[in-house]
mmCIF file of all heavy atoms in Angstrom:
data_model
loop_
_atom_site.group_PDB
_atom_site.id
_atom_site.type_symbol
_atom_site.label_atom_id
_atom_site.label_comp_id
_atom_site.label_asym_id
_atom_site.label_seq_id
_atom_site.Cartn_x
_atom_site.Cartn_y
_atom_site.Cartn_z
ATOM 1 N N ALA A 1 0.824 -1.207 0.000
ATOM 2 C CA ALA A 1 0.000 0.000 0.000
ATOM 3 C C ALA A 1 0.857 1.255 0.000
ATOM 4 O O ALA A 1 0.474 2.292 -0.562
ATOM 5 C CB ALA A 1 -0.918 0.002 1.224
ATOM 6 N N ALA A 2 2.024 1.171 0.646
ATOM 7 C CA ALA A 2 2.897 2.339 0.708
ATOM 8 C C ALA A 2 3.487 2.670 -0.661
ATOM 9 O O ALA A 2 3.907 3.802 -0.904
ATOM 10 C CB ALA A 2 4.028 2.098 1.710
ATOM 11 N N GLU A 3 3.542 1.677 -1.550
ATOM 12 C CA GLU A 3 4.157 1.884 -2.862
ATOM 13 C C GLU A 3 3.229 1.407 -3.983
ATOM 14 O O GLU A 3 3.670 0.938 -5.017
ATOM 15 C CB GLU A 3 5.480 1.105 -2.937
ATOM 16 C CG GLU A 3 6.470 1.434 -1.848
ATOM 17 C CD GLU A 3 7.761 0.657 -2.037
ATOM 18 O OE1 GLU A 3 8.493 0.955 -2.988
ATOM 19 O OE2 GLU A 3 8.014 -0.252 -1.238
ATOM 20 N N TYR A 4 1.934 1.525 -3.759
ATOM 21 C CA TYR A 4 0.986 0.878 -4.654
ATOM 22 C C TYR A 4 1.033 1.387 -6.085
ATOM 23 O O TYR A 4 0.586 0.736 -7.005
ATOM 24 C CB TYR A 4 -0.437 1.022 -4.109
ATOM 25 C CG TYR A 4 -1.023 2.412 -4.245
ATOM 26 C CD1 TYR A 4 -1.895 2.719 -5.283
ATOM 27 C CD2 TYR A 4 -0.698 3.414 -3.327
ATOM 28 C CE1 TYR A 4 -2.423 3.999 -5.402
ATOM 29 C CE2 TYR A 4 -1.217 4.673 -3.451
ATOM 30 C CZ TYR A 4 -2.089 4.967 -4.483
ATOM 31 O OH TYR A 4 -2.607 6.231 -4.602
ATOM 32 N N LYS A 5 1.618 2.554 -6.296
ATOM 33 C CA LYS A 5 1.675 3.092 -7.652
ATOM 34 C C LYS A 5 2.804 2.468 -8.472
ATOM 35 O O LYS A 5 2.903 2.680 -9.667
ATOM 36 C CB LYS A 5 1.845 4.613 -7.612
ATOM 37 C CG LYS A 5 0.640 5.334 -7.009
ATOM 38 C CD LYS A 5 0.808 6.838 -7.078
ATOM 39 C CE LYS A 5 -0.438 7.543 -6.558
ATOM 40 N NZ LYS A 5 -0.624 7.353 -5.130
ATOM 41 N N ASP A 6 3.665 1.685 -7.819
ATOM 42 C CA ASP A 6 4.746 0.998 -8.529
ATOM 43 C C ASP A 6 4.226 -0.373 -8.943
ATOM 44 O O ASP A 6 3.957 -1.229 -8.107
ATOM 45 C CB ASP A 6 5.961 0.854 -7.598
ATOM 46 C CG ASP A 6 7.142 0.188 -8.292
ATOM 47 O OD1 ASP A 6 6.962 -0.351 -9.396
ATOM 48 O OD2 ASP A 6 8.232 0.211 -7.701
ATOM 49 N N GLU A 7 4.105 -0.637 -10.228
ATOM 50 C CA GLU A 7 3.499 -1.877 -10.699
ATOM 51 C C GLU A 7 4.309 -3.109 -10.341
ATOM 52 O O GLU A 7 3.788 -4.218 -10.298
ATOM 53 C CB GLU A 7 3.312 -1.824 -12.215
ATOM 54 C CG GLU A 7 4.613 -1.766 -12.999
ATOM 55 C CD GLU A 7 4.401 -1.720 -14.505
ATOM 56 O OE1 GLU A 7 3.270 -1.472 -14.925
ATOM 57 O OE2 GLU A 7 5.386 -1.924 -15.226
ATOM 58 N N ASP A 8 5.581 -2.957 -10.051
ATOM 59 C CA ASP A 8 6.418 -4.112 -9.735
ATOM 60 C C ASP A 8 6.687 -4.256 -8.245
ATOM 61 O O ASP A 8 7.512 -5.038 -7.818
ATOM 62 C CB ASP A 8 7.765 -4.003 -10.481
ATOM 63 C CG ASP A 8 8.516 -5.343 -10.482
ATOM 64 O OD1 ASP A 8 7.875 -6.363 -10.792
ATOM 65 O OD2 ASP A 8 9.706 -5.348 -10.167
ATOM 66 N N THR A 9 5.953 -3.487 -7.426
ATOM 67 C CA THR A 9 6.233 -3.472 -5.996
ATOM 68 C C THR A 9 6.133 -4.860 -5.373
ATOM 69 O O THR A 9 6.972 -5.249 -4.568
ATOM 70 C CB THR A 9 5.265 -2.518 -5.272
ATOM 71 O OG1 THR A 9 5.542 -1.200 -5.684
ATOM 72 C CG2 THR A 9 5.442 -2.604 -3.777
ATOM 73 N N GLY A 10 5.076 -5.630 -5.726
ATOM 74 C CA GLY A 10 4.893 -6.940 -5.110
ATOM 75 C C GLY A 10 6.089 -7.829 -5.308
ATOM 76 O O GLY A 10 6.619 -8.405 -4.360
ATOM 77 N N ARG A 11 6.559 -7.935 -6.535
ATOM 78 C CA ARG A 11 7.705 -8.790 -6.811
ATOM 79 C C ARG A 11 8.988 -8.232 -6.193
ATOM 80 O O ARG A 11 9.838 -8.982 -5.740
ATOM 81 C CB ARG A 11 7.847 -8.966 -8.322
ATOM 82 C CG ARG A 11 6.849 -9.972 -8.880
ATOM 83 C CD ARG A 11 6.715 -9.893 -10.376
ATOM 84 N NE ARG A 11 5.930 -8.724 -10.765
ATOM 85 C CZ ARG A 11 5.545 -8.475 -12.008
ATOM 86 N NH1 ARG A 11 5.879 -9.298 -12.978
ATOM 87 N NH2 ARG A 11 4.828 -7.406 -12.294
ATOM 88 N N HIS A 12 9.101 -6.919 -6.194
ATOM 89 C CA HIS A 12 10.275 -6.289 -5.574
ATOM 90 C C HIS A 12 10.352 -6.641 -4.088
ATOM 91 O O HIS A 12 11.419 -7.018 -3.580
ATOM 92 C CB HIS A 12 10.201 -4.777 -5.754
ATOM 93 C CG HIS A 12 11.155 -4.018 -4.874
ATOM 94 N ND1 HIS A 12 12.522 -4.105 -5.004
ATOM 95 C CD2 HIS A 12 10.928 -3.168 -3.821
ATOM 96 C CE1 HIS A 12 13.105 -3.332 -4.100
ATOM 97 N NE2 HIS A 12 12.156 -2.772 -3.368
ATOM 98 N N LEU A 13 9.229 -6.530 -3.374
ATOM 99 C CA LEU A 13 9.227 -6.822 -1.942
ATOM 100 C C LEU A 13 9.588 -8.277 -1.667
ATOM 101 O O LEU A 13 10.318 -8.587 -0.722
ATOM 102 C CB LEU A 13 7.852 -6.503 -1.336
ATOM 103 C CG LEU A 13 7.445 -5.025 -1.341
ATOM 104 C CD1 LEU A 13 6.032 -4.876 -0.804
ATOM 105 C CD2 LEU A 13 8.415 -4.184 -0.519
ATOM 106 N N LEU A 14 9.074 -9.162 -2.497
ATOM 107 C CA LEU A 14 9.406 -10.575 -2.333
ATOM 108 C C LEU A 14 10.885 -10.829 -2.547
ATOM 109 O O LEU A 14 11.547 -11.487 -1.736
ATOM 110 C CB LEU A 14 8.589 -11.400 -3.330
ATOM 111 C CG LEU A 14 7.120 -11.613 -2.974
ATOM 112 C CD1 LEU A 14 6.348 -12.077 -4.199
ATOM 113 C CD2 LEU A 14 6.995 -12.634 -1.868
ATOM 114 N N ARG A 15 11.394 -10.327 -3.647
ATOM 115 C CA ARG A 15 12.793 -10.609 -3.976
ATOM 116 C C ARG A 15 13.741 -10.014 -2.949
ATOM 117 O O ARG A 15 14.629 -10.702 -2.426
ATOM 118 C CB ARG A 15 13.110 -10.088 -5.384
ATOM 119 C CG ARG A 15 12.442 -10.881 -6.505
ATOM 120 C CD ARG A 15 12.974 -10.459 -7.870
ATOM 121 N NE ARG A 15 12.712 -9.068 -8.168
ATOM 122 C CZ ARG A 15 11.672 -8.622 -8.883
ATOM 123 N NH1 ARG A 15 10.776 -9.479 -9.364
ATOM 124 N NH2 ARG A 15 11.518 -7.330 -9.124
ATOM 125 N N MET A 16 13.585 -8.736 -2.659
ATOM 126 C CA MET A 16 14.559 -8.091 -1.777
ATOM 127 C C MET A 16 14.518 -8.680 -0.362
ATOM 128 O O MET A 16 15.551 -8.811 0.290
ATOM 129 C CB MET A 16 14.363 -6.568 -1.752
ATOM 130 C CG MET A 16 13.013 -6.059 -1.265
ATOM 131 S SD MET A 16 12.783 -5.954 0.527
ATOM 132 C CE MET A 16 14.092 -4.855 0.947
ATOM 133 N N SER A 17 13.333 -9.068 0.125
ATOM 134 C CA SER A 17 13.253 -9.635 1.476
ATOM 135 C C SER A 17 13.903 -11.020 1.525
ATOM 136 O O SER A 17 14.582 -11.373 2.494
ATOM 137 C CB SER A 17 11.804 -9.703 1.954
ATOM 138 O OG SER A 17 11.016 -10.486 1.091
ATOM 139 N N HIS A 18 13.723 -11.809 0.466
ATOM 140 C CA HIS A 18 14.371 -13.119 0.428
ATOM 141 C C HIS A 18 15.880 -12.999 0.213
ATOM 142 O O HIS A 18 16.651 -13.778 0.769
ATOM 143 C CB HIS A 18 13.738 -13.984 -0.660
ATOM 144 C CG HIS A 18 12.432 -14.572 -0.253
ATOM 145 N ND1 HIS A 18 11.245 -13.865 -0.271
ATOM 146 C CD2 HIS A 18 12.109 -15.813 0.207
ATOM 147 C CE1 HIS A 18 10.261 -14.634 0.143
ATOM 148 N NE2 HIS A 18 10.761 -15.818 0.443
ATOM 149 N N TYR A 19 16.311 -12.023 -0.598
ATOM 150 C CA TYR A 19 17.750 -11.763 -0.721
ATOM 151 C C TYR A 19 18.341 -11.472 0.659
ATOM 152 O O TYR A 19 19.384 -12.018 1.038
ATOM 153 C CB TYR A 19 18.011 -10.542 -1.614
ATOM 154 C CG TYR A 19 17.659 -10.676 -3.074
ATOM 155 C CD1 TYR A 19 17.340 -9.535 -3.822
ATOM 156 C CD2 TYR A 19 17.659 -11.906 -3.724
ATOM 157 C CE1 TYR A 19 17.012 -9.629 -5.165
ATOM 158 C CE2 TYR A 19 17.338 -12.001 -5.077
ATOM 159 C CZ TYR A 19 17.009 -10.860 -5.789
ATOM 160 O OH TYR A 19 16.690 -10.936 -7.115
ATOM 161 N N ALA A 20 17.683 -10.580 1.393
ATOM 162 C CA ALA A 20 18.201 -10.152 2.697
ATOM 163 C C ALA A 20 18.261 -11.321 3.681
ATOM 164 O O ALA A 20 19.246 -11.480 4.416
ATOM 165 C CB ALA A 20 17.337 -9.026 3.260
ATOM 166 N N ALA A 21 17.213 -12.151 3.706
ATOM 167 C CA ALA A 21 17.207 -13.302 4.617
ATOM 168 C C ALA A 21 18.346 -14.263 4.278
ATOM 169 O O ALA A 21 19.004 -14.808 5.170
ATOM 170 C CB ALA A 21 15.857 -14.018 4.553
ATOM 171 N N ALA A 22 18.581 -14.475 2.983
ATOM 172 C CA ALA A 22 19.659 -15.377 2.562
ATOM 173 C C ALA A 22 21.028 -14.828 2.961
ATOM 174 O O ALA A 22 21.899 -15.563 3.436
ATOM 175 C CB ALA A 22 19.592 -15.601 1.053
ATOM 176 N N VAL A 23 21.241 -13.530 2.774
ATOM 177 C CA VAL A 23 22.512 -12.910 3.161
ATOM 178 C C VAL A 23 22.708 -13.004 4.676
ATOM 179 O O VAL A 23 23.818 -13.266 5.160
ATOM 180 C CB VAL A 23 22.565 -11.443 2.684
ATOM 181 C CG1 VAL A 23 23.803 -10.738 3.259
ATOM 182 C CG2 VAL A 23 22.595 -11.375 1.162
ATOM 183 N N ALA A 24 21.627 -12.797 5.421
ATOM 184 C CA ALA A 24 21.717 -12.874 6.883
ATOM 185 C C ALA A 24 22.191 -14.252 7.329
ATOM 186 O O ALA A 24 23.067 -14.374 8.199
ATOM 187 C CB ALA A 24 20.356 -12.554 7.503
ATOM 188 N N ARG A 25 21.643 -15.296 6.740
ATOM 189 C CA ARG A 25 22.079 -16.650 7.100
ATOM 190 C C ARG A 25 23.540 -16.866 6.728
ATOM 191 O O ARG A 25 24.301 -17.477 7.481
ATOM 192 C CB ARG A 25 21.197 -17.689 6.410
ATOM 193 C CG ARG A 25 19.814 -17.837 7.030
ATOM 194 C CD ARG A 25 19.136 -19.104 6.521
ATOM 195 N NE ARG A 25 18.958 -19.042 5.081
ATOM 196 C CZ ARG A 25 17.906 -18.512 4.476
ATOM 197 N NH1 ARG A 25 16.929 -17.987 5.209
ATOM 198 N NH2 ARG A 25 17.811 -18.506 3.158
ATOM 199 N N GLN A 26 23.945 -16.357 5.566
ATOM 200 C CA GLN A 26 25.339 -16.500 5.147
ATOM 201 C C GLN A 26 26.289 -15.799 6.107
ATOM 202 O O GLN A 26 27.419 -16.255 6.334
ATOM 203 C CB GLN A 26 25.509 -15.939 3.727
ATOM 204 C CG GLN A 26 26.932 -15.965 3.189
ATOM 205 C CD GLN A 26 27.494 -17.369 3.051
ATOM 206 O OE1 GLN A 26 26.748 -18.338 2.923
ATOM 207 N NE2 GLN A 26 28.813 -17.488 3.071
ATOM 208 N N MET A 27 25.825 -14.727 6.726
ATOM 209 C CA MET A 27 26.659 -13.984 7.666
ATOM 210 C C MET A 27 26.617 -14.560 9.075
ATOM 211 O O MET A 27 27.180 -13.976 9.998
ATOM 212 C CB MET A 27 26.239 -12.512 7.676
ATOM 213 C CG MET A 27 26.509 -11.801 6.353
ATOM 214 S SD MET A 27 26.182 -10.019 6.414
ATOM 215 C CE MET A 27 27.509 -9.463 7.497
ATOM 216 N N GLY A 28 25.930 -15.690 9.230
ATOM 217 C CA GLY A 28 25.946 -16.377 10.516
ATOM 218 C C GLY A 28 24.811 -16.017 11.442
ATOM 219 O O GLY A 28 24.790 -16.469 12.592
ATOM 220 N N LEU A 29 23.847 -15.232 10.983
ATOM 221 C CA LEU A 29 22.697 -14.927 11.820
ATOM 222 C C LEU A 29 21.799 -16.152 11.896
ATOM 223 O O LEU A 29 21.771 -16.983 10.989
ATOM 224 C CB LEU A 29 21.920 -13.720 11.280
ATOM 225 C CG LEU A 29 22.467 -12.338 11.671
ATOM 226 C CD1 LEU A 29 23.832 -12.087 11.053
ATOM 227 C CD2 LEU A 29 21.506 -11.222 11.248
ATOM 228 N N SER A 30 21.059 -16.279 12.979
ATOM 229 C CA SER A 30 20.249 -17.473 13.220
ATOM 230 C C SER A 30 19.071 -17.547 12.256
ATOM 231 O O SER A 30 18.678 -16.554 11.639
ATOM 232 C CB SER A 30 19.723 -17.463 14.659
ATOM 233 O OG SER A 30 18.773 -16.425 14.828
ATOM 234 N N ASP A 31 18.498 -18.742 12.152
ATOM 235 C CA ASP A 31 17.307 -18.925 11.323
ATOM 236 C C ASP A 31 16.163 -18.053 11.828
ATOM 237 O O ASP A 31 15.350 -17.565 11.038
ATOM 238 C CB ASP A 31 16.873 -20.396 11.329
ATOM 239 C CG ASP A 31 17.801 -21.278 10.501
ATOM 240 O OD1 ASP A 31 18.516 -20.731 9.632
ATOM 241 O OD2 ASP A 31 17.814 -22.494 10.720
ATOM 242 N N HIS A 32 16.081 -17.878 13.159
ATOM 243 C CA HIS A 32 15.028 -17.024 13.722
ATOM 244 C C HIS A 32 15.186 -15.585 13.234
ATOM 245 O O HIS A 32 14.197 -14.938 12.862
ATOM 246 C CB HIS A 32 15.088 -17.074 15.249
ATOM 247 C CG HIS A 32 14.155 -16.108 15.918
ATOM 248 N ND1 HIS A 32 12.780 -16.300 15.952
ATOM 249 C CD2 HIS A 32 14.388 -14.926 16.553
ATOM 250 C CE1 HIS A 32 12.222 -15.285 16.583
ATOM 251 N NE2 HIS A 32 13.160 -14.449 16.963
ATOM 252 N N VAL A 33 16.415 -15.079 13.238
ATOM 253 C CA VAL A 33 16.651 -13.703 12.774
ATOM 254 C C VAL A 33 16.355 -13.610 11.275
ATOM 255 O O VAL A 33 15.734 -12.646 10.815
ATOM 256 C CB VAL A 33 18.094 -13.269 13.068
ATOM 257 C CG1 VAL A 33 18.402 -11.927 12.410
ATOM 258 C CG2 VAL A 33 18.314 -13.179 14.583
ATOM 259 N N ALA A 34 16.790 -14.620 10.509
ATOM 260 C CA ALA A 34 16.522 -14.606 9.068
ATOM 261 C C ALA A 34 15.021 -14.588 8.790
ATOM 262 O O ALA A 34 14.549 -13.878 7.894
ATOM 263 C CB ALA A 34 17.167 -15.818 8.408
ATOM 264 N N GLN A 35 14.262 -15.366 9.580
ATOM 265 C CA GLN A 35 12.805 -15.375 9.409
ATOM 266 C C GLN A 35 12.225 -14.011 9.777
ATOM 267 O O GLN A 35 11.307 -13.512 9.104
ATOM 268 C CB GLN A 35 12.196 -16.459 10.294
ATOM 269 C CG GLN A 35 10.701 -16.651 10.118
ATOM 270 C CD GLN A 35 10.345 -17.358 8.828
ATOM 271 O OE1 GLN A 35 11.209 -17.959 8.188
ATOM 272 N NE2 GLN A 35 9.101 -17.290 8.420
ATOM 273 N N SER A 36 12.753 -13.397 10.821
ATOM 274 C CA SER A 36 12.267 -12.064 11.211
ATOM 275 C C SER A 36 12.557 -11.030 10.124
ATOM 276 O O SER A 36 11.753 -10.127 9.879
ATOM 277 C CB SER A 36 12.932 -11.638 12.528
ATOM 278 O OG SER A 36 12.551 -12.492 13.585
ATOM 279 N N ILE A 37 13.704 -11.180 9.461
ATOM 280 C CA ILE A 37 14.034 -10.272 8.349
ATOM 281 C C ILE A 37 13.026 -10.440 7.225
ATOM 282 O O ILE A 37 12.598 -9.459 6.602
ATOM 283 C CB ILE A 37 15.459 -10.550 7.847
ATOM 284 C CG1 ILE A 37 16.483 -10.095 8.899
ATOM 285 C CG2 ILE A 37 15.725 -9.843 6.520
ATOM 286 C CD1 ILE A 37 17.892 -10.523 8.594
#
């Protein structure tokens, strides 16, 4: 809703959040923290 005028927002949010969770795990953060991300 905050970015509803961007037609690719849904896919962007999915991709960037999963990228971040994957990087967090690679950096040694716990699965719980990765899930919170």
Side-chain angles (χ1 to χ4, degrees):
E3 304 182 70
Y4 73 99
K5 295 184 176 68
D6 182 349
E7 65 180 14
D8 195 48
T9 293
R11 282 165 285 187
H12 166 66
L13 294 176
L14 284 164
R15 290 189 298 264
M16 60 82 59
S17 59
H18 282 80
Y19 293 154
V23 172
R25 285 194 298 272
Q26 177 63 24
M27 294 186 69
L29 277 66
S30 68
D31 287 339
H32 173 73
V33 172
Q35 185 74 15
S36 296
I37 290 171

